[in-house]
């Protein structure tokens, strides 16, 4: 009888070969085949090479010696640090780096302070008079601008020409960043803020002791946006700064690399001049690497602060 029962039972359907996936899940969520995995790895590796090669090219040729540059090699075979020694001994690049670092640090801190306070004030539409009207004015700045000439005349009338404040004050508050921060503040649990008010905490105490600690994620993102903007800004310096000793690094990069001004002004007079191409590449590296170092530190705050403030009422 056992043999008859086994014969009567239908044969189990054979599993089709191919990517394994759970029932009801779309095909792209299943486990890909080895061939598909190999194709994905090859595609990602090709994209990485295409994106990293220009940066590696700049770094390698910034350390190349004169022989590798004049021979037209695709990848230099002999290296030298003469370009970096020359531009740092010349003083122009070192001074411009200090100027840019100061503008970036001070500008980012001030921008965070004013943006966060404005964003928090605009969340209190019931308590702050004309908060909705102020919000409309902020939104208008995203679509309408005064233009270069009115801005220049305003900076001139304020006496800020050839001043570092001319590189900070015009971009002190970004309307987009303020809206992002305001929306984040509005998502914070209102019960927590109301309980603090019932306990007698002032708005400044609530803002400094509750709102800001719960907003580390958005503060890190906005701080990175502002820092990158201040570091990479050169157009304001081109308009408002006539004193070459106050030029930021990006304006030096624009004048001597993009515009092709004489490279002898950047180099130490008592040193043999390295090839102009290596000096240009060295300035590009010096202007790019410092802001890249900030990203790993900001990424730590991104991942740490994503779930901060997820309190259920």
């Amino acid at each position: 009888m056992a043999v008859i029962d086994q014969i009567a039972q239908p044969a189990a359907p054979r599993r089709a070969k191919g990517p394994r996936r759970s029932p009801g899940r779309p095909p792209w969520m299943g486990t890909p085949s080895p061939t598909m995995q190999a194709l994905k790895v090859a595609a990602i590796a090709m994209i990485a090479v295409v994106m990293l090669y220009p940066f590696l090219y700049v770094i390698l040729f910034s350390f190349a010696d004169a022989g590798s540059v004049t021979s037209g090699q695709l990848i230099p075979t002999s290296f030298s640090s003469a370009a970096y020694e020359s531009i740092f001994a010349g003083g122009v690049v070192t001074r411009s780096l200090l100027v840019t670092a100061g503008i970036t640090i001070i500008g980012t801190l001030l921008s965070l302070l004013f943006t966060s306070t404005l964003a928090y004030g605009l969340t209190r539409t019931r308590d702050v008079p004309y908060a909705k009207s102020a919000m409309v004015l902020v939104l208008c700045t995203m679509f309408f601008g005064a233009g270069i000439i009115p801005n220049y005349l305003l900076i001139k009338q304020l006496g800020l020409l050839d001043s570092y404040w001319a590189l900070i004050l015009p971009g002190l508050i970004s309307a987009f960043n303020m809206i992002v921060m305001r929306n984040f503040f509005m998502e914070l649990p209102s019960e927590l803020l109301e309980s603090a008010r019932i306990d007698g905490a002032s708005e400044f105490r609530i803002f400094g002791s509750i709102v800001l600690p719960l907003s580390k994620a958005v503060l890190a993102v906005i701080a990175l946006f502002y820092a990158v903007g201040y570091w990479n800004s050169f157009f304001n310096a081109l308009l408002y700064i006539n004193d070459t000793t106050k030029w930021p690094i990006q304006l030096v990069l624009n004048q001597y690399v993009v515009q092709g001004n004489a490279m002898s002004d950047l180099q130490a007079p008592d040193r043999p001049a390295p090839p102009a191409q290596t000096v240009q590449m060295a300035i590009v590296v010096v202007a790019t690497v410092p802001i890249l170092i900030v990203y790993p530190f900001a990424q730590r705050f991104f991942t740490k602060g994503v779930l901060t403030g997820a309190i259920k009422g």
Side-chain angles (χ1 to χ4, degrees):
M1 294 296 296
V3 175
I4 296 175
D5 292 339
Q6 292 179 0
I7 296 176
Q9 292 178 355
R14 299 181 62 182
R15 180 177 296 177
K17 296 182 179 180
R20 296 173 297 173
R21 65 176 187 270
S22 301
R25 301 181 66 185
W28 59 83
M29 297 183 66
T31 303
S33 62
T35 303
M36 185 59 65
Q37 289 181 345
L39 291 176
K40 289 182 178 180
V41 171
I44 293 174
M46 185 178 301
I47 294 173
V49 169
V50 171
M51 296 181 66
L52 291 178
Y53 175 75
F55 189 65
L56 295 176
Y57 176 87
V58 170
I59 294 178
L60 291 176
F61 270 91
S62 67
F63 286 99
D65 62 358
S68 298
V69 174
T70 56
S71 61
Q73 298 176 359
L74 185 62
I75 298 177
T77 56
S78 55
F79 302 93
S80 172
S81 60
Y84 291 94
E85 295 174 0
S86 180
I87 62 175
F88 282 119
V92 175
V93 174
T94 305
R95 183 173 58 249
S96 62
L97 279 175
L98 294 176
V99 170
T100 304
I103 292 172
T104 301
I105 295 173
I106 297 175
T108 301
L109 293 177
L110 291 177
S111 293
L112 278 180
L113 174 62
F114 285 93
T115 303
S116 59
T117 51
L118 177 60
Y120 181 70
L122 292 180
T123 61
R124 309 296 302 163
T125 55
R126 296 182 180 178
D127 303 329
V128 179
Y130 307 106
K132 294 184 179 179
S133 301
M135 186 65 188
V136 172
L137 291 177
V138 171
L139 291 176
C140 288
T141 62
M142 298 182 62
F143 304 103
F144 305 100
I148 296 177
I149 296 178
N151 286 331
Y152 179 84
L153 294 177
L154 176 62
I155 295 297
K156 183 179 180 180
Q157 290 296 326
L158 294 176
L160 297 179
L161 291 180
D162 274 337
S163 172
Y164 295 130
W165 291 110
L167 307 180
I168 297 177
L169 294 181
L172 192 63
I173 298 178
S174 168
F176 175 80
N177 293 339
M178 192 281 299
I179 293 173
V180 171
M181 191 172 293
R182 176 181 178 270
N183 292 336
F184 189 92
F185 289 163
M186 294 181 67
E187 295 296 327
L188 295 178
S190 59
E191 295 83 359
L192 182 61
L193 305 182
E194 290 297 334
S195 63
R197 293 189 184 96
I198 294 173
D199 291 338
S202 63
E203 291 296 334
F204 289 100
R205 180 68 181 275
I206 294 173
F207 178 70
S209 301
I210 298 177
V211 175
L212 291 183
L214 292 178
S215 306
K216 291 181 180 179
V218 70
L219 290 176
V221 174
I222 300 303
L224 184 61
F225 288 166
Y226 276 125
V228 173
Y230 281 117
W231 184 273
N232 291 330
S233 177
F234 80 94
F235 189 69
N236 285 346
L238 186 63
L239 290 177
Y240 307 134
I241 305 298
N242 297 318
D243 187 357
T244 57
T245 60
K246 296 181 179 180
W247 280 4
I249 185 63
Q250 299 300 336
L251 187 54
V252 172
L253 178 66
N254 177 75
Q255 293 294 319
Y256 291 95
V257 177
V258 179
Q259 301 297 332
N261 291 0
M263 304 295 294
S264 58
D265 298 339
L266 300 176
Q267 304 169 11
D270 56 343
R271 292 175 178 267
Q277 183 179 358
T278 60
V279 176
Q280 292 176 344
M281 298 300 181
I283 299 175
V284 172
V285 172
V286 169
T288 306
V289 169
I291 198 64
L292 293 180
I293 299 176
V294 178
Y295 277 91
F297 296 98
Q299 183 67 29
R300 178 172 64 90
F301 288 99
F302 292 162
T303 57
K304 182 179 179 180
V306 167
L307 299 179
T308 303
I311 303 175
K312 298 298 182 180

